[in-house]
Amino acid sequence: MKNFILLVLFAILIASCKIKTYKNNSKANIFVKYVDPFIGTGGHGHTYPGATVPFGMLQVSPDNGISNWDWCSGYHYSDSIVSGFSHLHLSGTGIGDLADILFMPTNKKLDLTAQTTSQDQLPYKSKYSHVNEKAAPGSYQVFLEDPKINVELTSSLRTAFHRYTFAKNDKQSVIIDLGFAINWDKALRTGLTIEDQYTISGYRFSTGWAKNQKVFFVAKFSKPISESVLLANKQVITANSAEGENTAAQLFFDTNNSEELDVKVALSSVSVANAKDNLDEKDDFNKTKSEAAKIWNSALSKIEVQTPTDSLKTIFYTALFHAQVAPVTYSDKNGQFRKEDDQIATAKDYTAYSTLSLWDTFRAENPLLTLLAPEKVSDIVNSMLQYYDTKKILPVWTLYANETNTMTGYHSIPVIVDAYQKGIKGFDAEKAYQAMKVTMMQDQRGLNYYKTYGYIPYNLLDESVTITLEYAYDDWCVAQMAKALGKNEDYEFFLNRSKAYRYLFDPKTGFMRGKSQDGKSWNEPFDPKHSNHREHTDYTEGNAWQHSWFVPQNVDDFISLHKSNEVFTKRLEQLFTESSEITGSNISADISGLIGQYAHGNEPSHHIAYMFNYAGQPWRTQYWVRHILDTQYNTTPNGLSGNEDCGQMSAWYVFSSMGLYPMNPASGEYEIGSPIFEKVTIHLQDAKTFVIEAEKVSDKNFYIQSATLNGVEFNQTAISHKEIVKGGILHFVMGAEPNKNWGIKK
């Protein structure tokens, strides 16, 4: 019996050692394990599940081959057909483009000469099942059911790695289709060259959302090409190179007694030579996959959260992941990149970035990067200033260095001011100020009307209310930069112009409304729930309920227009409790994630819940922020209530779940909301940390009872960036009932 007991104890000891060893081995990449890249690939999230690294040049991901709004990223979770794997994708936008340079493995010779107009007609398409599909930060895997090929993808900063595992004794073949296009995109001119038995190169020039997109590529295979078929405009040609509007190739490979075929693909906006320079030739698939996971783990480790609820960790770290896929690296290893006018520029001492979804990301995504990746913020600013050098105006929404002019305002301006106010160096502040001033003093995009009338009359330009409110905010930002640089006359000018919202506030209805150029008459008839998407409307992708609150630069004055805190908070509460009916025959699909008339699925609503803080009812901010956190995010593919929009939807969650939010993004301050984690540790530069503790927090205890900052009583509803980057501990005590005395200005 004694020996039996000793044997049992020994077995337990061995088992515990194994468990301990497993835990220690897994801890190295503990943060990536909580990320689920499929969150947002369903519903209207428009994310992709494929492989990239933080701010990577490539996003190698599956394409379903459908041209439809919910397939803007190339992929939607509802689909079961894969058409191939292309190398450029957009994360969560509302407009479809990219999906350039499509590769697809197959196990038989195919006829690529037939004209195709839909996903179903593609000869190389395959069925797949989510059961045989996996995604993690930096890697993706799927089993193609028709050719029975396992596909694995990973990526470094500028090189994509494919691994195809074929069935034994099957043909090993790869299709490259440069004519493949979805949504807005259309190939104009393409070319393919077989350079040697291991290497192909080519280019794809296209138009779409980006009107002048030029992509050059090189691909290296791990096995020699034994046979090839090249096509130009659906005609087979006998040469080693092909050019045309639509070129394609089918390559066959010697098996070499191995079922695996590896491919490395690098891109460039400049030339094939630069693509070759970008290619990571020495690295292999396994090493790159492992390194990508480590890079992501390091990026995610910038913020550590503690909670007993694993689903909250999954939502948080997936959000932190999505907040770092864009903007994307655009300059090559040698610093070169192509501008919209086809000039080749060189980024000296910085990395050029593109995919700047500024209407979305200025609100929380860009402010989040000042904490997560401050070294990249100056590069983003320099990228915008390079654009200004060419166009003599700051960018609105750039894709592959093309100005799309999508959305309203000039929100490169608050991004620059936010960076400057937070002490981020590495760009020319005087040049940046000049760029902002020139941009806001020119006449494009309604600024001529804005300068003439002080607002934009509804009868002269659509979306006049939204545009006016956003120009007023941009003006306020210019004023802050002018003040910081000692330009007092400019400061007074732009500060005065930033009050343009006053022209459009209707005290009778309490809404911001379209006003005629006579300065007196409103746009009639008026229905605050009415939406007409992007035409004959006063509001951008929304209605009066959602757009009447955009005065983050002067909330106190905005409240005064309502005559009292009581009137203001009553109307603000009504926003969340009003019926969710949206009227009109052309309702914007972007109005989603409705709580009353509050639409969390689109960015104009994102700051609104924090406005109670200014009106003496911070507990209402705490209530509604927690309600949004609980209802608008989950761990399913439908886990985002609207377009991810290059990180903004996720950045809102990252900030708000910690208990902070940059309601006025260029103010250098964060509003206090309702933290959901017991402890958050933000790792800052110079080995400093800022810790947020929420004692007694739970699904019921979301009201702040009291707070201390570094042990000293903290009784305010905002904290500055300067206080955070010093390091310290912000400690909250939470409870189930509101403390209506906490955070009240005295």
Side-chain angles (χ1 to χ4, degrees):
M1 185 65 181
K2 184 178 179 182
N3 289 339
F4 175 77
I5 292 171
L6 288 172
L7 186 62
V8 170
L9 289 172
F10 181 75
I12 291 171
L13 179 63
I14 293 297
S16 67
C17 288
K18 287 182 178 179
I19 293 170
K20 187 175 181 182
T21 301
Y22 170 79
K23 283 185 176 179
N24 285 341
N25 286 339
S26 68
K27 194 173 181 181
N29 286 334
I30 190 69
F31 300 103
V32 297
K33 294 180 184 297
Y34 288 109
V35 175
D36 183 355
F38 289 112
I39 292 176
T41 60
H44 302 318
H46 298 182
T47 62
Y48 59 81
T52 189
V53 294
F55 315 105
M57 177 178 276
L58 296 98
Q59 311 83 38
V60 57
S61 188
D63 293 298
N64 298 131
I66 284 182
S67 292
N68 193 288
W69 189 60
D70 277 332
W71 277 258
C72 279
S73 74
Y75 176 99
H76 195 267
Y77 199 78
S78 63
D79 214 318
S80 59
I81 301 292
V82 64
S83 298
F85 307 90
S86 63
H87 292 78
L88 297 173
H89 293 87
L90 288 164
S91 178
T93 67
I95 298 182
D97 204 335
L98 303 184
D100 294 74
I101 320 297
L102 184 92
F103 279 50
M104 181 65 167
T106 187
N107 64 350
K108 58 189 174 185
K109 196 161 193 173
L110 298 173
D111 179 10
L112 301 178
T113 62
Q115 294 291 332
T116 59
T117 58
S118 71
Q119 173 201 49
D120 295 335
Q121 295 172 342
L122 292 171
Y124 48 76
K125 71 181 187 301
S126 174
K127 290 182 180 178
Y128 72 100
S129 168
H130 297 307
V131 173
N132 297 314
E133 183 184 33
K134 293 179 183 177
S139 64
Y140 172 85
Q141 173 271 323
V142 67
F143 181 74
L144 304 179
E145 294 178 3
D146 296 331
K148 293 182 172 51
I149 299 169
N150 192 56
V151 175
E152 298 173 84
L153 307 172
T154 189
S155 184
S156 63
L157 186 65
R158 292 185 176 89
T159 302
F161 292 71
H162 303 234
R163 171 165 288 172
Y164 310 136
T165 304
F166 296 82
K168 194 169 185 180
N169 299 323
D170 265 7
K171 277 186 182 293
Q172 297 182 14
S173 178
V174 177
I175 304 289
I176 297 102
D177 187 351
L178 301 187
F180 176 83
I182 59 170
N183 289 312
W184 284 255
D185 181 61
K186 182 182 186 300
L188 296 176
R189 183 178 156 204
T190 66
L192 273 169
T193 298
I194 300 175
E195 296 201 355
D196 58 44
Q197 60 181 339
Y198 292 96
T199 311
I200 65 165
S201 63
Y203 62 87
R204 185 179 190 273
F205 301 167
S206 63
T207 188
W209 194 18
K211 298 299 182 186
N212 180 29
Q213 189 196 2
K214 291 183 167 72
V215 183
F216 300 85
F217 80 96
V218 63
K220 289 225 168 196
F221 297 89
S222 60
K223 296 177 180 179
I225 301 168
S226 59
E227 181 188 350
S228 62
V229 179
L230 265 64
L231 299 94
N233 300 327
K234 299 295 183 179
Q235 299 294 315
V236 176
I237 61 172
T238 56
N240 281 338
S241 63
E243 288 189 303
E245 180 182 317
N246 178 349
T247 56
Q250 182 165 16
L251 309 177
F252 299 88
F253 298 87
D254 292 331
T255 60
N256 291 344
N257 298 316
S258 168
E259 282 72 55
E260 284 185 357
L261 174 67
D262 287 358
V263 194
K264 300 174 184 178
V265 183
L267 308 184
S268 166
S269 67
V270 176
S271 64
V272 168
N274 275 20
K276 290 178 179 178
D277 188 43
N278 288 340
L279 190 72
D280 293 333
E281 288 203 65
K282 294 181 180 179
D283 293 336
D284 62 21
F285 185 93
N286 290 336
K287 179 183 176 183
T288 302
K289 180 180 176 182
S290 176
E291 186 62 25
K294 289 178 183 176
I295 292 169
W296 270 116
N297 201 67
S298 177
L300 298 170
S301 70
K302 296 287 182 67
I303 305 178
E304 294 186 62
V305 300
Q306 292 182 21
T307 174
T309 309
D310 278 353
S311 61
L312 291 181
K313 289 183 182 178
T314 296
I315 297 170
F316 179 85
Y317 283 109
T318 303
L320 199 58
F321 163 76
H322 278 142
Q324 296 180 82
V325 298
V328 301
T329 297
Y330 185 58
S331 53
D332 295 330
K333 276 185 180 177
N334 64 7
Q336 291 184 329
F337 60 95
R338 182 179 299 272
K339 297 195 286 186
E340 186 177 2
D341 61 2
D342 281 325
Q343 292 184 57
I344 304 303
T346 301
K348 295 179 180 177
D349 302 319
Y350 76 98
T351 298
Y353 288 94
S354 192
T355 308
L356 297 173
S357 180
L358 295 164
W359 187 79
D360 308 292
T361 62
F362 86 93
R363 304 168 197 266
E365 158 78 1
N366 289 105
L368 182 61
L369 296 185
T370 66
L371 287 170
L372 294 179
E375 72 285 355
K376 289 181 169 56
V377 174
S378 60
D379 286 0
I380 293 168
V381 173
N382 281 315
S383 301
M384 297 191 292
L385 294 180
Q386 173 64 244
Y387 178 94
Y388 171 76
D389 285 341
T390 305
K391 291 291 194 75
K392 302 309 174 190
I393 196 170
L394 284 167
V396 176
W397 207 128
T398 64
L399 175 64
Y400 232 73
N402 282 236
E403 178 59 87
T404 67
N405 266 314
T406 301
M407 309 313 293
T408 47
Y410 283 100
H411 299 317
S412 46
I413 290 172
V415 172
I416 295 170
V417 177
D418 181 46
Y420 185 76
Q421 297 281 56
K422 291 175 179 175
I424 290 174
K425 310 295 183 185
F427 63 93
D428 186 333
E430 286 288 344
K431 178 181 178 180
Y433 176 75
Q434 189 64 24
M436 292 189 292
K437 181 179 177 180
V438 168
T439 297
M440 290 307 294
M441 292 304 293
Q442 47 86 27
D443 291 333
Q444 297 182 35
R445 291 164 47 88
L447 274 168
N448 52 336
Y449 303 131
Y450 182 75
K451 291 191 296 184
T452 300
Y453 299 98
Y455 63 97
I456 297 174
Y458 77 85
N459 54 315
L460 299 182
L461 189 66
D462 277 350
E463 303 181 346
S464 62
V465 173
T466 299
I467 297 171
T468 297
L469 296 178
E470 294 188 5
Y471 282 161
Y473 180 68
D474 292 338
D475 273 343
W476 182 88
C477 293
V478 178
Q480 304 314 301
M481 191 78 162
K483 183 179 181 181
L485 295 175
K487 303 177 188 298
N488 295 327
E489 189 175 334
D490 283 1
Y491 168 70
E492 295 294 341
F493 173 82
F494 285 106
L495 187 67
N496 182 61
R497 212 169 68 163
S498 74
K499 297 173 185 174
Y501 58 87
R502 284 178 153 262
Y503 287 104
L504 301 187
F505 182 75
D506 175 14
K508 290 184 179 178
T509 63
F511 291 100
M512 298 288 183
R513 295 182 57 186
K515 182 174 279 187
S516 173
Q517 66 194 99
D518 65 14
K520 298 176 183 177
S521 52
W522 301 108
N523 191 0
E524 300 286 359
F526 177 65
D527 174 3
K529 294 183 178 180
H530 186 266
S531 166
N532 196 31
H533 184 65
R534 303 310 309 260
E535 59 182 14
H536 308 304
T537 178
D538 295 336
Y539 311 97
T540 303
E541 296 182 353
N543 61 24
W545 268 114
Q546 290 134 26
H547 282 266
S548 291
W549 307 94
F550 191 70
V551 191
Q553 72 271 29
N554 200 341
V555 182
D556 289 338
D557 187 52
F558 183 38
I559 292 171
S560 75
L561 295 178
H562 293 77
K563 303 303 181 186
S564 71
N565 281 352
E566 289 71 28
V567 173
F568 178 82
T569 52
K570 183 178 179 181
R571 288 192 49 72
L572 192 51
E573 185 75 9
Q574 188 182 354
L575 170 71
F576 292 95
T577 57
E578 184 73 16
S579 80
S580 294
E581 176 194 17
I582 307 294
T583 61
S585 59
N586 182 31
I587 296 170
S588 176
D590 295 281
I591 303 175
S592 61
L594 285 166
I595 303 171
Q597 286 288 315
Y598 173 90
H600 192 71
N602 208 17
E603 280 68 25
S605 287
H606 280 189
H607 70 290
I608 300 175
Y610 290 90
M611 299 183 95
F612 287 105
N613 279 354
Y614 284 79
Q617 293 191 14
W619 64 91
R620 302 310 296 162
T621 284
Q622 295 156 33
Y623 175 86
W624 286 114
V625 166
R626 182 57 182 256
H627 184 74
I628 297 164
L629 287 164
D630 288 346
T631 61
Q632 302 300 304
Y633 299 83
N634 62 60
T635 59
T636 73
N638 291 355
L640 297 172
S641 60
N643 295 171
E644 164 64 11
D645 282 319
C646 296
Q648 170 57 27
M649 193 68 65
S650 289
W652 188 96
Y653 188 91
V654 171
F655 267 126
S656 295
S657 65
M658 294 192 297
L660 308 172
Y661 191 73
M663 194 209 73
N664 176 355
S667 68
E669 290 196 333
Y670 305 96
E671 293 298 312
I672 303 296
S674 179
I676 65 172
F677 300 112
E678 293 176 348
K679 184 178 180 181
V680 174
T681 304
I682 305 172
H683 294 279
L684 304 163
Q685 289 183 313
D686 302 321
K688 293 178 182 176
T689 61
F690 187 77
V691 177
I692 302 168
E693 298 172 338
E695 184 182 340
K696 300 180 182 177
V697 71
S698 70
D699 58 348
K700 294 181 176 61
N701 293 350
F702 51 79
Y703 289 112
I704 296 171
Q705 305 299 301
S706 63
T708 58
L709 177 61
N710 298 324
V712 178
E713 182 184 5
F714 184 82
N715 191 38
Q716 58 194 55
T717 58
I719 185 170
S720 72
H721 183 82
K722 289 179 180 177
E723 287 177 294
I724 287 176
V725 296
K726 287 177 186 175
I729 300 174
L730 178 59
H731 182 89
F732 295 105
V733 177
M734 311 299 289
E737 297 295 330
N739 176 358
K740 296 184 179 181
N741 292 315
W742 185 85
I744 305 300
K745 295 177 183 177
K746 296 178 182 178

